[in-house]
Amino acid sequence: MSTRIASFAAAVCAFGMVMPSLAADLRDQVRVEVESARLHDDMAPGTYMCAAGHLHVRATVYNTTAATLGRITVGGKAFDAGGKLLGEATAATRQASVAPGDKSTVDLEFLTVGGPLVQQVKKQEVRVIAAPTK
């Protein structure tokens, strides 16, 4: 009986060690690009200011994996010209699932970057945070 328990425990440990690595690999295989369209003449491509005065960054995620993924979560950071962090945001794809080879959009809303701070944003970073399998 103890041999069965030990074998089961070893299998659970091995399985648990493999799963985070697979999840990270899938996340690393999803490509994210900030949209290139200029929505406001005085702002960077892919960015705009909503009616509430917050900075938004529009991006597209591309599922380059062989698996169907659930909602892909993207994180973003906004910086001023000196590299000072002005704000952070996260957003998930609108689609509940993204099939292999498909794409979906995300709209990051920076709630702490509004009003005059929006004009100070000179650089943004966007990366995939989570890409769960469906």
Side-chain angles (χ1 to χ4, degrees):
M1 186 67 134
S2 63
T3 306
R4 283 188 197 166
I5 293 172
S7 297
F8 177 73
V12 168
C13 288
F15 182 72
M17 295 169 93
V18 170
M19 288 308 291
S21 143
L22 289 175
D25 290 345
L26 290 178
R27 181 186 66 222
D28 294 340
Q29 293 177 43
V30 175
R31 194 173 87 240
V32 61
E33 293 179 3
V34 173
E35 292 187 5
S36 59
R38 191 172 295 273
L39 303 173
H40 296 288
D41 289 336
D42 58 340
M43 295 181 70
T47 64
Y48 68 97
M49 192 164 67
C50 68
H54 303 136
L55 172 70
H56 284 252
V57 174
R58 284 183 154 168
T60 302
V61 292
Y62 298 88
N63 181 0
T64 61
T65 74
T68 297
L69 301 175
R71 291 192 194 280
I72 299 168
T73 304
V74 174
K77 294 181 180 184
F79 301 92
D80 68 9
K84 177 184 171 193
L85 179 65
L86 298 175
E88 296 181 77
T90 58
T93 55
R94 293 178 183 161
Q95 295 171 232
S97 64
V98 184
D102 279 353
K103 63 184 178 179
S104 185
T105 59
V106 292
D107 189 338
L108 294 149
E109 181 176 14
F110 291 79
L111 296 173
T112 59
V113 182
L117 272 181
V118 171
Q119 298 305 316
Q120 292 180 29
V121 175
K122 301 301 178 201
K123 177 185 169 194
Q124 70 269 348
E125 292 177 0
V126 179
R127 66 183 180 90
V128 176
I129 296 173
T133 55
K134 186 76 175 176

